[in-house]
Amino acid sequence: MKRNLFSLPLFLVAAMFALNSCSGPVGGSTPPPPGNANLTVTMTDAPPTGASFISFNVPIRAVSLTPQTGADVDVFSPATPLIVDMVRLQSDSALLGTFQVPSGTYTKINITLDVVNTIFANTTSSAIGSCSAHTICSLNSGTPPTQSLTFTTPLVVTTGTHPGLDIDFNLINAVTTQNGITIDFNQPNIITISSLPRTGQASGTLDTIEDFTGVITTLTGSNVTITSGTRGTLTGAVTSSTTYTGLSSVNTVCGGNVPTSTCLGLNKTVSVDANISTTGVVTITEVDFLDDPFTNEIEGVIYPTTTAGVYGMIVSDKINATGNTLLTPVSPGATISITLDPTATFTVDTRNLLVSIPNGFSSASDIFPGQTVMIHVKSASTGTVLDVVTDRLVLRYSRLTGTVNTVGGTAFTANNLPPFLGTFSVPPTVQTFSGITVFDNVTDLQSLTNGDSVAFRALYLDPTTATQPFMAAKVRKH
């Protein structure tokens, strides 16, 4: 298998399951007593560095376990497939759920997928397969067969326990350059299974779910359900420790007041962070109020174009609160074009990262490829792609992968960032914030060393003016 077509490389195309080895909660062959355990399953992604994939959407149809004897045990089988963006999971985790699993000894895990859709940027001067130079192209997998991963040591689930498993993708191993560019599910080592929690996870928690954006669809006591337009639902409890933030540019979202729990209300657009406890309980740790009820929003990644003043976006999230028929078919990975209304405003969603809004996103000149932006939909019209006129742009967190260059103080510099970001004259600085930036699979910033592969979730400010263009809320070592 060749992997040298991309200096980017093109390997970040493929998250599918030729399954291989497992290091997780394991035990001997003695059967445990009858009963159930509560198994929590999350999903992450370990992408290669230097890749220019803007989205990599994997629909998960089902997950099951194969016992030593008897029929497979269903773990996860939603009515419609759960779509997870593996580019997003470079730094974040997706929660499949906590499920009751009969006690027993299991030998395999089985994962059923639907068609995988990816968008990548060919930043080279040559065609890559059928993708012309300096263009945005899609790559789809076709429907893959169910893939099975045999545990190196059988997984023993004991009554009354609360094990946690993470399904981690390694996208570099699923893409081949034979006959152009293809996703090949017969390649080895595409996923691994590991036990939760990872190093750096807060005490008493298995994993953390961050920046889950959607509308509040139920409020029952302290329990809140947020429904995403693309990623399913998340239900968790708010507590006295939950923090509340909100966009200062949307003065009506909390009636012009400082956001508190009293601002929670049906149909409001929010983004939440949550912890999954060691018993599988989801607790919402932060609520970020983004907009009033019944407001249409689209969020996605800005991609490079060769036409000045034309902005493209690959969609990652949408809020179609009014049922706009033009927005209904917009799905993760969709390509849209953006036209700025003459009155368009710019702001930065700092959440709890910063006490003031930083410079570097205040006009159209501050829009750059790789930024994640949420746009308010003023109007939409059809054309070659859907064209959205927006009168408000909000800079939100980008997910990026690179290698550590230097570490010093509260920051590190990074090399081998995705090529579609463009060329940096010097390795850019990734600023972290003591007590706020989360470190995953590593204890702290000083534990990083030159050459480490890291993914980070960060605000990406104008790199031509900002001395620290990346302000990181999370850093995950791979």
Side-chain angles (χ1 to χ4, degrees), residues 435-452:
I436 299 175
T437 301
V438 175
F439 289 90
D440 190 334
N441 214 28
V442 65
T443 55
D444 54 31
L445 177 63
Q446 303 309 318
S447 301
L448 295 177
T449 59
N450 181 279
D452 281 346

Side-chain angles (χ1 to χ4, degrees), residues 225-240:
T225 297
I226 298 95
T227 301
S228 165
T230 59
R231 293 186 288 143
T233 62
L234 178 69
T235 299
V238 295
T239 70
S240 58

Side-chain angles (χ1 to χ4, degrees), residues 19-20 29 32 53-54 108 112 117 150 153 162 185 190 203 205 240 252-253 268 330 333 340 386 408 445 449 469:
L19 305 175
N20 180 296
S29 59
F53 277 83
I54 302 173
K108 291 193 299 185
T112 304
N117 298 292
T150 299
T153 303
H162 297 83
F185 298 107
I190 293 175
S203 176
T205 64
S240 58
T252 58
V253 71
K268 289 187 175 181
V330 175
L340 304 188
L386 183 70
L445 177 63
T449 59

